[in-house]
Amino acid sequence: MPTNLEEGGTWVPAACWHNCGGRCVNKVMVKEGVVVRQKTDDSHEDSAEYPQQRGCVRGKAQQQQCFGADRILHPLKRKGWQPGGGENSNGAMRGKDEWEVISWDEAIELSCQEIKRISDEYGPTGFYCKSPDATINVMCGCVRGWDTTSHGTYTLGSDMIGLPGTDIGKANDRFDMMNAEYVVMYSSNPTWSAAGTPTYYFIQAKEAGVKFVTVDPMYNASAQMLDADWIPVRNGTDMAFMLATAYEMLRLDEEEGDIVDWDFLNAYTVGFDADHMPDDAKLSENLKDYVQGVYDGTPKTPEWAEPICGVPPEQVTEFARILGKNNKTYLLHNYGMVRCNGSEMIPQMLMALGAMGGHMGKSGHACGGAYHANCGNYGPNLVTAGNAKKPKTTNPVSTGVRQPQLYDIILEGGGEVLDVSNSYANFHEPIPTTLGPIKGIFHVTDATLQTSLHQKAGIEAHRAVDFVLTRAQFMTTNAVYSDIILPVTTEWERPGGVTTCNREFVYCYSKVTDPIGESKTDQEIGVLLLEGMGMDPALAYDTSETQQFFEQIAGSKIMGKSGEMEPLVTITDADIAEWGVEGEAQEGVISLADFVANGGYQFKRTPDDGYGFIGYEDFVTDPEANPLPSASGKLEIYCQARYDLMASFQYDGIEQFKPYPTYVVPCVGYESTFKDGAIGGEKGEYPYIMYNPHYLRRSHSVFDNCPWLRETWANPVFLNRQDAKEKGIEEGDTVLISAPAGQGLRTAAILDILMPGVVGVPHGAWVDVDEKTGIDRAGSDNYLIGAQYGGMGVSGYNNQICNVEKYDGEALAPDCDWPQRIVSA
C-alpha cells in the first residue's frame, strides 16, 4: 500500500519571510521533523470580497531554503585567512580559497580577536556594514552604506513636495478600482513583483470592465494578463514622455476644452503656472511655461519627445486624453522608472500629471504607488502586527556613504565624503567627513554585495580589507567573499513571528523544525559575539525569542467599531502560563490558540463596510484642516525645499535641474549610447540601453539557489528580435553582455514585446566570476553597473548602457544543471 504522508503529520503556518511583494500564506505538513507537503491559504472560502491570501511559486520553493542541500551547517573559516591583518588576511584569495569547518568556540574567538584589534587601531569607523543590527551597534559600530534602492528618487524628499513618504499610501482602496474607467500601470508588473493577492485585485477590475494601459519598455506579464494597451517608453526617458503628455493636455484643453482640471490645480497645487507660485520660490519660472517652451524656445511637444523616449506622437496624444479630467483614471506607478540616473524630478512630474487631470480625492480617480503587498489596495491598516520590546541601541557612527562610493573609499584606504546619512527617506544636508581606512566588513541580514551596484569594485573592496564576517544560510555572494561564516537559521527554525502583510491581513507563523546542523538564530549569534567581546548581551537582547514572539502577538491590533485600533488577540492568564512568558491578559476578537493555528487573522471586507479609502480625500475636502507635509501644505509642482536639498549634495549635473520638473541628460543613460552623446548620431561602443526587471524566479537575489526555480525559470537576457537578428543571435544562444563596468554571460530570450535598442537583464543572479577572464558566468546585473552618479546620488539601476554579441566561447549550460555551492563537513 502507498504511504500516507499525512498520517501522523501536523500542518504548521510557516514563514514566507523574504522581501516579496505578495506577503502570502505558506503552510507546511510536518511529519517526524520533515516537511512532506505544502499548501497555501485555505482558512476560509475564497471570494472576490474575502480573498484567500494565496502563495506563489517562490513560496512553494521555500522548502529548499530550509532543507536545501546547500545549507551551511557549521561555522566555516577560509583556509588562507588568519587574524592580525596585512599579509595574514591573504585577502586576494577571497572568493577563490577553500573552506574548513571550525567549532563555534573557535569561530567566535577568532572573530572577536579580530574585531577587537581593528577597534583598537581604527575605532568604529574601521568597520563597514550596510544595515547594522543591535549586536554591531553594541560591539563596535560601523560606517553605513546608503542607496536609493527600491523606491528610487521617491526616497529623497517626497514629503517636501506633499507626497506621503515614498508615495505608497495615497492611492485608493481595492473596491474603488471597480469605479475607474482606466487604470494606468506605469513601470509596474505586480504579476512578477507582487505575485499573489495583489494581482487578483487587478483581475477583478478587468472583469468589471476597467481598461488597462501599461507604460513600460516591455509588454510585461501584468500587461498581458490584463490585455492592456501598451505605451513603450525607453527606460530612463520617462521625463520626456511625461513632459510631452503635459504639453498635449494643455494643447487639447485649449483647442477642445475639458482636459485640464484648472480648479484642482489652482486650489491644491503650487508652481504649475506663474499665478500660483509658492511663497518661498527663488526662481520666477514654472512648469507650464517650461513645457510650452517659454524659457528655452523648445516646446515639449510629442515630436520633441519621440527621439528621446521612442513613443509615437499619436500615442502621447491618446495618453493625454486618458488623463483628461472627465475620465475616471487611476495613474498608478511602481518604482522602476525612478531607479534611473537623472530621475530626480519624476515624482513631481507624475504628481503634476495626476493633478492636471484632477485624479485625486474622489472615487474612480487615483494617483499614487502600486507597490509591494498593498499594491492595488491602499488605506489605513485594519489589522497590524505588534512589536517586541527590545533594548534601544545606537550606532556610535553617524556617517553614511553612498554605497558604490564606499567601495572606492575602501580601495583608496579612506578619503573625503559628503555624509548624507542612510536613513532611507530622511536624508539631511551633507556633512563634509574625512574617513580613515576601513578594515572590517560585516554582513548581517542583507545581500549587499549582490544587490548593490558597482559590484566588481565591491568584490575587490572585500579583498582589500583585513576581515569579513558574514552570517549566512547558503554560500551567497556575501559569504563567498568572507573569512568566517556563521551559519544562521531560517525563519522556519525560530520560535515564530507576526507580520503585517497588507491592510487586511496579519500573518502569524510558527516553528517548523529544529535548527538544521549547527545553525543558530541571529540573537543567539549576537549573544555569543557580545560575550566573546566581554560585553553584557542584555545591552542588545534582554528577553527570549519566545517572549518577543508573544509580544508581537499581544501587540497586534484590529480596527474597532469606534474607529480606533484595539487588541486583536484574546490572551488569558492560562495562555501566559502555558507559554512561560511575561504579559497581561486582554480581550480581543480571536483566541491566541486560534490565531497561531490559523496562521494569523484576515479582516473580512465588503464594498460598503465603511472601511474604504480614497487617497487625498481629506485634503481635497478641507485642505486647510488637512494640509500636506510640504511647506505650502499643498502639492508642490515647484518645490524650493527639495531642490535646495538636492543642490546641497554637491553632486555633478545639478546645473540641469530646476525646482520644477525638467528634462536632464543623465550621467549615464540613452544619450550615452551615442558616440558624441547626441541622440540620432552614430552609435557608440555600448549602443544599447539596459535595465534590470524583477523576475518571478527570485525575490531580489533570494531563491536564486533553489533548483526547482532554476529549472522552472531560466536565467535569460531579454533581447528585441530585430536587435538579435542584426547581431546574429538566436533563441538560446549564449550572449556576452559588455558594459563599461564589466562583462557577463546570459542565455538569449528573444522577444517581440521589448522595445528595440533595450536589453533586459533580470535582477538578482548570484555572481560567478571566471577569475581568468573576469567575465561573470551568471550575468549578475550589478556586475555590469558602475558607480556613476549625479543630482541626488540616485542609484541608476535601470538606464545603464551595454553591448551584446553572440559569445564565441563555451556555451552556457542551463544553470539548473550547475553544481550547487555545497561545503561538506
Side-chain angles (χ1 to χ4, degrees):
M1 293 180 65
T3 302
N4 183 352
L5 294 179
E6 291 195 24
E7 185 177 344
T10 303
W11 283 107
V12 179
C16 200
W17 66 91
H18 300 297
N19 189 23
C20 166
R23 289 292 192 267
C24 315
V25 169
N26 201 1
K27 295 182 179 180
V28 298
M29 167 70 72
V30 182
K31 183 176 181 180
E32 297 176 359
V34 176
V35 171
V36 295
R37 290 191 64 189
Q38 192 165 342
K39 65 180 180 180
T40 187
D41 188 12
D42 59 357
S43 59
H44 57 81
E45 290 294 323
D46 189 42
S47 70
E49 293 185 358
Y50 191 40
Q52 294 173 349
Q53 307 293 310
R54 295 181 182 177
C56 76
V57 294
R58 290 184 288 224
K60 292 181 171 71
Q62 199 83 56
Q63 294 181 48
Q64 293 184 326
Q65 295 294 101
C66 182
F67 300 107
D70 57 343
R71 275 292 298 272
I72 296 175
L73 302 177
H74 312 282
L76 299 174
K77 173 186 163 302
R78 186 168 61 84
K79 283 188 176 181
W81 177 84
Q82 295 297 329
E87 294 183 359
N88 287 346
S89 66
N90 195 17
M93 287 300 292
R94 291 192 184 100
K96 311 173 191 177
D97 225 338
E98 295 180 345
W99 295 92
E100 59 185 1
V101 174
I102 59 176
S103 68
W104 269 104
D105 287 345
E106 185 177 2
I108 297 300
E109 182 180 355
L110 287 171
S111 298
C112 292
Q113 179 182 339
E114 191 68 348
I115 292 167
K116 289 176 181 176
R117 183 189 67 80
I118 294 172
S119 291
D120 289 345
E121 189 168 349
Y122 301 100
T125 60
F127 300 95
Y128 154 66
C129 181
K130 176 77 177 287
S131 306
D133 67 355
T135 301
I136 294 169
N137 288 345
V138 173
M139 188 168 60
C140 56
C142 63
V143 173
R144 298 159 297 150
W146 67 265
D147 186 4
T148 50
T149 59
S150 294
H151 297 109
T153 56
Y154 277 90
T155 63
L156 304 172
S158 287
D159 58 328
M160 295 178 175
I161 63 176
L163 298 179
T166 48
D167 194 30
I168 293 174
K170 284 295 186 179
N172 299 1
D173 179 82
R174 62 185 172 100
F175 289 116
D176 187 67
M177 198 186 308
M178 315 299 175
N179 298 320
E181 295 169 328
Y182 296 93
V183 171
V184 177
M185 306 286 283
Y186 203 113
S187 189
S188 184
N189 184 15
T191 300
W192 280 4
S193 64
T197 308
T199 299
Y200 187 33
Y201 305 146
F202 295 105
I203 292 174
Q204 291 176 49
K206 175 176 172 51
E207 292 174 347
V210 177
K211 181 67 177 176
F212 282 81
V213 179
T214 184
V215 183
D216 199 274
M218 184 168 73
Y219 192 66
N220 59 48
S222 298
Q224 296 172 48
M225 177 189 69
L226 298 167
D227 192 25
D229 289 343
W230 180 30
I231 300 176
V233 176
R234 288 190 186 99
N235 38 303
T237 67
D238 300 275
M239 180 61 82
F241 169 67
M242 291 181 182
L243 289 168
T245 300
Y247 179 92
E248 280 297 271
M249 291 181 75
L250 289 167
R251 181 185 69 81
L252 291 169
D253 187 76
E254 183 176 350
E255 295 179 2
E256 303 173 7
D258 280 348
I259 295 292
V260 176
D261 191 333
W262 293 104
D263 290 339
F264 188 94
L265 285 171
N266 295 341
Y268 304 110
T269 76
V270 294
F272 181 76
D273 61 22
D275 295 330
H276 299 85
M277 295 297 289
D279 293 337
D280 61 353
K282 300 176 184 177
L283 187 67
S284 296
E285 296 182 9
N286 61 81
L287 179 61
K288 178 175 177 285
D289 288 343
Y290 171 75
V291 165
Q292 295 186 322
V294 172
Y295 308 126
D296 57 7
T298 303
K300 308 307 178 290
T301 65
E303 290 74 19
W304 164 84
E306 184 180 15
I308 305 171
C309 65
V311 181
E314 60 270 20
Q315 280 197 292
V316 178
T317 302
E318 179 58 26
F319 188 63
R321 290 189 185 279
I322 289 171
L323 294 185
K325 71 176 187 178
N326 288 334
N327 292 323
K328 291 184 175 181
T329 299
Y330 269 46
L331 179 55
L332 302 180
H333 68 85
N334 209 307
Y335 295 95
M337 81 290 195
V338 288
R339 294 195 289 269
C340 294
N341 298 310
S343 64
E344 279 82 351
M345 311 308 283
I346 291 287
Q348 275 168 273
M349 190 64 223
L350 191 138
M351 177 186 77
L353 290 178
M356 288 178 72
H359 300 304
M360 301 177 191
K362 53 191 175 184
S363 176
H365 303 254
C367 182
Y371 173 75
H372 218 263
N374 285 322
C375 182
N377 188 25
Y378 290 93
N381 282 89
L382 302 174
V383 283
T384 59
N387 295 313
K389 304 179 186 70
K390 297 179 182 179
K392 182 176 177 55
T393 64
T394 302
N395 185 354
V397 181
S398 64
T399 302
V401 180
R402 186 178 179 276
Q403 185 67 42
Q405 186 184 7
L406 192 142
Y407 292 145
D408 295 333
I409 289 290
I410 292 174
L411 290 169
E412 294 164 5
E416 304 297 320
V417 299
L418 285 174
D419 170 21
V420 293
S421 183
N422 76 330
S423 48
Y424 201 60
N426 292 302
F427 283 62
H428 56 67
E429 291 198 16
I431 301 170
T433 302
T434 301
L435 282 176
I438 293 175
K439 293 295 185 178
I441 295 176
F442 299 121
H443 291 301
V444 185
T445 58
D446 51 42
T448 301
L449 183 55
Q450 181 60 61
T451 57
S452 297
L453 57 151
H454 206 28
Q455 187 179 44
K456 189 174 183 179
I459 290 171
E460 295 310 311
H462 279 66
R463 288 173 169 162
V465 298
D466 290 344
F467 182 47
V468 183
L469 177 65
T470 295
R471 300 177 210 167
Q473 297 154 356
F474 317 97
M475 195 57 71
T476 62
T477 302
N478 285 353
V480 164
Y481 295 96
S482 299
D483 299 312
I484 289 181
I485 303 173
L486 304 178
V488 66
T489 60
T490 68
E491 291 292 332
W492 283 18
E493 302 152 77
R494 304 185 186 197
V498 186
T499 301
T500 302
C501 296
N502 54 57
R503 72 177 303 232
E504 299 168 12
F505 182 65
V506 292
Y507 189 42
C508 178
Y509 56 88
S510 300
K511 182 177 179 180
V512 172
T513 185
D514 290 332
I516 305 298
E518 293 186 88
S519 62
K520 299 181 182 295
T521 67
D522 288 286
Q523 179 163 321
E524 289 171 332
I525 293 171
V527 168
L528 290 176
L529 285 169
L530 291 171
E531 289 176 342
M533 294 290 291
M535 298 175 174
D536 182 2
L539 294 173
Y541 311 102
D542 61 354
T543 60
S544 71
E545 292 177 75
T546 299
Q547 176 70 37
Q548 293 163 22
F549 180 26
F550 174 82
E551 289 173 359
Q552 288 181 315
I553 296 172
S556 296
K557 302 290 185 181
I558 184 171
M559 179 66 70
K561 294 181 180 179
S562 65
E564 300 293 330
M565 298 301 284
E566 300 171 354
L568 171 62
V569 181
T570 295
I571 296 173
T572 66
D573 290 333
D575 291 329
I576 295 169
E578 180 182 348
W579 277 59
V581 294
E582 295 181 0
E584 296 182 1
Q586 64 183 34
E587 188 69 28
V589 300
I590 184 173
S591 71
L592 187 150
D594 286 344
F595 183 73
V596 173
N598 292 347
Y601 183 88
Q602 183 172 345
F603 194 101
K604 193 169 184 177
R605 296 288 315 282
T606 60
D608 57 353
D609 60 11
Y611 295 111
F613 179 76
I614 304 296
Y616 297 100
E617 185 175 32
D618 55 350
F619 167 65
V620 169
T621 300
D622 190 342
E624 291 188 6
N626 301 284
L628 299 178
S630 63
S632 65
K634 297 183 178 183
L635 298 166
E636 297 206 353
I637 296 170
Y638 177 114
C639 184
Q640 192 66 54
R642 190 171 184 271
Y643 172 81
D644 290 346
L645 172 65
M646 178 169 65
S648 74
F649 286 17
Q650 301 178 33
Y651 294 154
D652 291 341
I654 186 61
E655 68 280 353
Q656 295 188 81
F657 291 92
K658 298 289 182 71
Y660 58 89
T662 60
Y663 183 76
V664 304
V665 177
C667 57
V668 176
Y670 182 54
E671 285 85 349
S672 309
T673 66
F674 296 90
K675 184 169 290 186
D676 61 359
I679 292 173
E682 183 182 354
K683 280 289 188 176
E685 182 180 359
Y686 304 103
Y688 301 100
I689 188 80
M690 177 180 68
Y691 80 121
N692 309 131
H694 286 205
Y695 188 47
L696 197 56
R697 160 165 150 175
R698 299 178 278 257
S699 175
H700 296 290
S701 66
V702 177
F703 296 112
D704 196 49
N705 61 317
C706 290
W708 291 343
L709 292 175
R710 285 193 166 212
E711 185 175 0
T712 305
W713 297 84
N715 190 42
V717 54
F718 297 149
L719 302 176
N720 169 271
R721 186 174 302 279
Q722 174 183 324
D723 295 335
K725 184 177 181 180
E726 290 174 356
K727 288 286 189 171
I729 297 171
E730 297 183 356
E731 182 78 20
D733 283 349
T734 298
V735 174
L736 176 66
I737 311 164
S738 299
Q743 294 181 302
L745 301 177
R746 289 274 183 123
T747 302
I750 299 175
L751 307 177
D752 295 306
I753 56 173
L754 180 68
M755 292 185 73
V758 174
V759 172
V761 182
H763 170 54
W766 289 8
V767 70
D768 184 11
V769 179
D770 183 329
E771 294 292 342
K772 293 181 181 179
T773 65
I775 296 174
D776 172 25
R777 289 171 289 233
S780 169
D781 48 327
N782 289 318
Y783 196 75
L784 303 171
I785 302 176
Q788 296 89 349
Y789 58 95
M792 272 186 167
V794 178
S795 298
Y797 292 96
N798 282 329
N799 60 336
Q800 298 295 316
I801 58 175
C802 73
N803 191 18
V804 294
E805 55 192 313
K806 185 174 179 178
Y807 185 54
D808 59 7
E810 183 179 354
L812 288 173
D815 66 356
C816 61
D817 295 331
W818 294 10
Q820 289 184 277
R821 299 177 183 178
I822 299 173
V823 179
S824 57

